[in-house]
Amino acid sequence: MKRKSIFIVSTEFLPGPGGIGSHAYQVAKELHKLGWQVIVFSEQGNCGDEEIEEFNRQSPFKVFRLFPTPSMVLLIMKLLKLVWASITQRPGVILGTGKHGAWFAALTGKLTFTPTALIGHGTEFIVTMSDRSKKINDWVFNSAGAIVYVSNYTKQIAEQAGVYNKNAHVLHNGGDDALFYPVPAEQTLAFKKAKGIDGQKIILTVGNVQPRKGHEFVIRAMPDILKAIPDAHYYCVGPPTIKPYLEGVAKEMNVSQAVHFPGRVLEGELLQWMNACDVFALTSVATDYGDIEGFGIVIIEAALCKKPAVVTSESGPGEAISEGVTGLGVKEKDSKAIAEKIISLLDNDDLRNNMGENAYQNALANLTWTRVVKKYDEVLSALL
């Protein structure tokens, strides 16, 4: 391989859902555009084999699919495969993302004397783990050639967990402006009519329907929202992991008729949902078992469709907005505040539209993946 070359080792990758996988894909794609020779090694799950194979065939860079390692023997074989690939291909740098992606990248780098950079999303520093795993994790991140944190929030969490790397950088995530953009109003109206949702005020959350996303607290805010905005509806788009639990919450709050779970949708339909919504919500929480939202790519994707966001302030998503300019922040689990902020946007077209326009201009100027990965290029090039 030529000198400006990189292995990216990830815990997950497209076409399946997942923020770490989406992030890894965008970094790989943009580095490829910048002239890097990119090879990705990752598990690819939560979708069919045919979809994965077709995705990998069409990728502009090489993707080697890894498989789960339920035994120590298979885990060692996976590591040896990565080491052998590094010995034979000689990448200039190895980039690890996701906890186990970082571990494999670090070990491969040490065994082949290859510079290593790691990405810190957040959960990898606080998720419940054994003492042995904690020691490995600390060694992996402390000994890396560089760390890129996706937010200051994540960097703070890492340092509180005992990670102090002198070559640390905070690079916020971006959005893909080729996939997310404002569509003509008539197209949005046609989509809403086809879905039977025209005439509704739409609150939208996109992502795996799981505890850390905070769907529950928007649902608990819905009674107050509906009192002020009777035609408000909340749509939770994404794999419905905890749908039965959230349906129970909606029933408890007597708002089942206004809470919906469309499931996972493809990119083309997701663009339509982003344009159809009035307010985007990501009221994330830190779970008891150490799962957090490190930033929130979907907030930038919504911004690229001119949508303001209501997010948890003291979190990664809090760094994805400019308070009162591109979105509004709330305290974690504060459904009263969530209701107040969402009502203030749904009830004031000028405020909502102005904030959406601000979000759009800021995302285009500062937070497209093309702009963000140029900064990754600088960090990684310095390691060569």
Side-chain angles (χ1 to χ4, degrees):
M1 293 177 71
K2 57 187 178 181
R3 187 160 176 76
K4 202 170 185 181
S5 58
I6 187 168
F7 280 5
I8 297 178
V9 186
S10 181
T11 54
E12 63 185 30
F13 204 67
L14 298 185
I20 289 175
S22 176
H23 180 280
Y25 169 74
Q26 293 293 346
V27 171
K29 182 184 74 172
E30 295 298 331
L31 286 176
H32 175 76
K33 288 181 182 178
L34 291 171
W36 286 78
Q37 188 168 340
V38 177
I39 299 181
V40 173
F41 298 84
S42 182
E43 293 184 21
Q44 292 173 284
N46 297 317
C47 53
D49 288 343
E50 288 185 8
E51 184 180 357
I52 292 169
E53 290 167 6
E54 180 63 19
F55 176 87
N56 291 350
R57 274 196 300 270
Q58 294 188 9
S59 173
F61 47 83
K62 292 182 181 178
V63 181
F64 284 94
R65 184 183 181 188
L66 302 177
F67 291 88
T69 50
S71 70
M72 183 59 69
V73 172
L74 290 174
L75 187 149
I76 292 172
M77 288 178 64
K78 181 187 286 187
L79 176 61
L80 291 175
K81 182 183 293 186
L82 288 167
V83 169
W84 179 247
S86 186
I87 290 171
T88 56
Q89 300 292 318
R90 301 308 304 168
V93 64
I94 301 174
L95 177 66
T97 179
K99 188 177 83 169
H100 290 130
W103 287 19
F104 278 112
L107 288 169
T108 302
K110 295 296 183 187
L111 291 170
T112 61
F113 305 98
T114 307
T116 304
L118 306 177
I119 298 172
H121 297 274
T123 298
E124 55 270 82
F125 305 112
I126 60 173
V127 70
T128 303
M129 63 181 89
S130 66
D131 289 342
R132 183 179 67 176
S133 292
K134 174 72 166 56
K135 289 177 181 178
I136 294 172
N137 203 57
D138 288 352
W139 171 79
V140 162
F141 283 93
N142 280 318
S143 64
I147 298 180
V148 173
Y149 294 110
V150 300
S151 62
N152 288 292
Y153 174 69
T154 293
K155 183 174 185 286
Q156 181 182 10
I157 285 172
E159 291 177 348
Q160 289 172 348
V163 174
Y164 297 97
N165 189 298
K166 293 181 180 178
N167 192 17
H169 308 262
V170 175
L171 301 179
H172 288 145
N173 294 337
D176 191 336
D177 56 328
L179 295 178
F180 295 94
Y181 48 85
V183 303
E186 58 269 21
Q187 186 175 328
T188 297
L189 181 59
F191 172 78
K192 294 175 77 171
K193 285 184 175 179
K195 291 289 184 182
I197 60 175
D198 53 316
Q200 296 180 0
K201 292 286 190 180
I202 294 174
I203 308 155
L204 178 69
T205 298
V206 173
N208 195 324
V209 181
Q210 57 175 296
R212 83 160 188 259
K213 300 291 184 180
H215 302 84
E216 174 180 350
F217 302 98
V218 179
I219 295 173
R220 293 190 181 281
M222 286 303 292
D224 287 343
I225 293 171
L226 288 168
K227 286 177 185 176
I229 314 290
D231 55 353
H233 286 256
Y234 180 39
Y235 289 87
C236 308
V237 170
T241 305
I242 60 166
K243 176 182 174 181
Y245 172 75
L246 294 180
E247 286 178 328
V249 175
K251 185 176 181 180
E252 172 195 339
M253 305 305 294
N254 197 30
V255 294
S256 296
Q257 78 287 354
V259 177
H260 314 276
F261 301 89
R264 181 191 172 205
V265 302
L266 299 180
E267 283 178 353
E269 184 175 340
L270 183 55
L271 171 65
Q272 302 303 326
W273 276 108
M274 287 292 201
N275 277 274
C277 80
D278 295 283
V279 174
F280 191 84
L282 189 59
T283 55
S284 60
V285 300
T287 69
D288 294 338
Y289 50 88
D291 200 6
I292 64 166
E293 194 73 23
F295 183 75
I297 295 170
V298 287
I299 298 167
I300 308 305
E301 293 170 344
L304 288 167
C305 298
K306 296 192 175 184
K307 305 302 173 181
V310 174
V311 305
T312 304
S313 298
E314 303 293 325
S315 69
E319 295 179 38
I321 67 162
S322 176
E323 176 63 34
V325 179
T326 69
L328 299 172
V330 296
K331 290 183 179 180
E332 183 181 281
K333 301 181 181 180
D334 189 343
S335 291
K336 287 291 183 185
I338 292 170
E340 289 173 5
K341 301 295 186 180
I342 289 177
I343 290 168
S344 72
L345 291 171
L346 293 181
D347 202 34
N348 188 327
D349 292 348
D350 288 340
L351 174 64
R352 185 176 69 252
N353 292 335
N354 288 339
M355 203 170 284
E357 181 66 30
N358 292 339
Y360 176 65
Q361 295 298 336
N362 177 63
L364 277 184
N366 303 302
L367 291 168
T368 63
W369 280 117
T370 298
R371 293 183 181 277
V372 169
V373 176
K374 284 180 181 177
K375 299 175 184 176
Y376 273 84
D377 177 48
E378 294 173 6
V379 173
L380 295 169
S381 295
L383 295 177
L384 292 176

